[in-house]
């Protein structure tokens, strides 16, 4: 039987429409993100292993929802670490309806988001950076971040058109590595250094605004000493084992969205265009698979 510190916080939920489940069942990702009040933003982590990684990274829990049979099992360590927050329990059928699939570890945790580091902070001591351009599928974002964490990248930067790495599916696919590697979302900037959220070439109060990407973002990377490598198939592409590319001291590896790939503007702004050689008439890999190959090869000189 669970000890009193745990049992005092447990509330059994039998009704899918219970208000305690709103955050898990009825809030959209946009509501959780809360762009108007980012300081109140939330996300949902799934499974004890992922939740523990979030706790280790300093994310603060709001509430826990777990299958009752796991309270004395795999969920116990998480519950013990999450003092003073409510613990809701529900049956297997309720949790399956919440997620759309059976939870193998039977646990969800709502958590506060943290302020993102700036791109400058992430790049300051980095040698290898991954940059994602408009990768909108959260499964791909999660898989790429997992590969970046495992295969020698120092950080990940995302353009504003990307799916947020703390969307539930991205966190799940990443297996919690979104909490183990620094990442941020690129913002635009005015010529005087102030920031903007939307990228557009306009004039405001006599100050020229630059596009978020590739404009301001590419300029920032180059100012920080990075050479840039676009993963794309063009007549000018070099092989992924090109000695000059692999030998760059600081390299940003830039990947585009599934299907369309990188924009011509981005490719033109990069120092290199890099391809992964294919066989059997296959023209390209899924962006998540391509990222793993690219990070392995181009990150070899950055092995920890």
């Amino acid at each position: 039987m669970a000890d009193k510190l745990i049992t005092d916080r447990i509330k059994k939920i039998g009704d899918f429409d219970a208000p305690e489940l709103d955050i898990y069942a009825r809030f959209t990702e946009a509501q959780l993100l809360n762009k108007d009040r980012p300081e109140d933003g939330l996300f949902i982590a799934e499974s004890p292993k992922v939740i523990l990684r979030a706790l280790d990274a300093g994310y603060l829990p709001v509430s826990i929802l777990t299958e009752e049979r796991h309270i004395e099992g795999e969920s116990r360590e998480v519950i013990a670490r999450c003092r003073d927050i409510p613990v809701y329990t529900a049956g297997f059928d309720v949790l399956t309806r919440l997620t759309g699939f059976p939870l193998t570890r039977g646990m969800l945790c709502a958590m506060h988001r943290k302020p993102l580091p700036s791109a400058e902070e992430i790049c300051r001591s980095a040698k290898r950076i991954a940059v994602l351009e408009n990768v909108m599928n959260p499964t791909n974002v999660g898989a790429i971040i997992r590969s970046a964490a495992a295969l020698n990248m120092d950080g990940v930067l995302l353009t504003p058109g990307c799916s947020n790495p703390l969307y539930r599916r991205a966190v799940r696919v990443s297996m919690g590595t979104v909490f183990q590697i620094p990442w941020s979302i690129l913002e635009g900037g005015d010529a005087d250094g102030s920031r903007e959220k939307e990228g557009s070439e306009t004039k405001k109060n006599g100050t020229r605004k630059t596009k978020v990407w590739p404009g301001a973002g590419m300029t920032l990377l180059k100012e920080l000493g990075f050479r840039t490598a676009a993963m794309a198939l063009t007549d000018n592409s070099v092989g992924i084992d090109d000695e000059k590319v692999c030998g760059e001291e600081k390299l940003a590896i830039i990947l585009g969205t599934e299907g369309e790939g990188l924009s011509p503007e981005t490719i033109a702004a990069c120092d290199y265009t890099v391809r992964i050689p294919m066989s059997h008439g296959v023209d390209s890999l899924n962006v998540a698979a391509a990222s793993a190959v690219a990070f392995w090869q181009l990150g070899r000189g950055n092995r920890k």
Side-chain angles (χ1 to χ4, degrees), residues 174-221:
S174 82
M175 287 299 295
T177 54
V178 292
F179 312 121
Q180 295 176 291
I181 184 171
W183 60 270
S184 193
I185 298 170
L186 286 163
E187 295 180 344
D190 291 342
D192 64 1
S194 60
R195 293 293 178 181
E196 64 169 345
K197 289 186 178 180
E198 299 298 330
S200 59
E201 292 287 352
T202 61
K203 286 184 179 292
K204 182 180 180 182
N205 298 327
T207 302
R208 183 174 61 84
K209 285 189 175 181
T210 58
K211 292 176 66 176
V212 175
W213 182 263
M218 192 70 74
T219 298
L220 174 65
L221 289 171

Side-chain angles (χ1 to χ4, degrees), residues 23-45:
I23 194 171
Y24 299 101
R26 285 168 284 279
F27 277 27
T28 65
E29 292 286 6
Q31 286 174 305
L32 290 169
L33 182 59
N34 199 353
K35 287 184 178 180
D36 292 334
R37 291 183 56 83
E39 66 275 13
D40 295 329
L42 303 171
F43 69 94
I44 307 296

Side-chain angles (χ1 to χ4, degrees), residues 15 24 50 66 69 81 93 102 130 137 154 186 200 237:
D15 181 5
Y24 299 101
V50 170
T66 184
R69 65 191 179 96
R81 284 186 60 177
D93 56 335
N137 185 315
D154 297 312
L186 286 163
S200 59
S237 296

Side-chain angles (χ1 to χ4, degrees), residues 2 4 8 25 31-32 50 53 58 63 67 76 82 87 115 141 145 157 175 198-199 216 240 257 260:
K4 192 173 187 302
D8 285 350
Q31 286 174 305
L32 290 169
V50 170
R53 285 178 174 169
S63 66
E67 204 175 337
R76 183 179 179 82
C82 295
V87 178
V141 170
I145 287 179
L157 300 178
M175 287 299 295
E198 299 298 330
I240 197 169
T257 189
E260 296 180 6

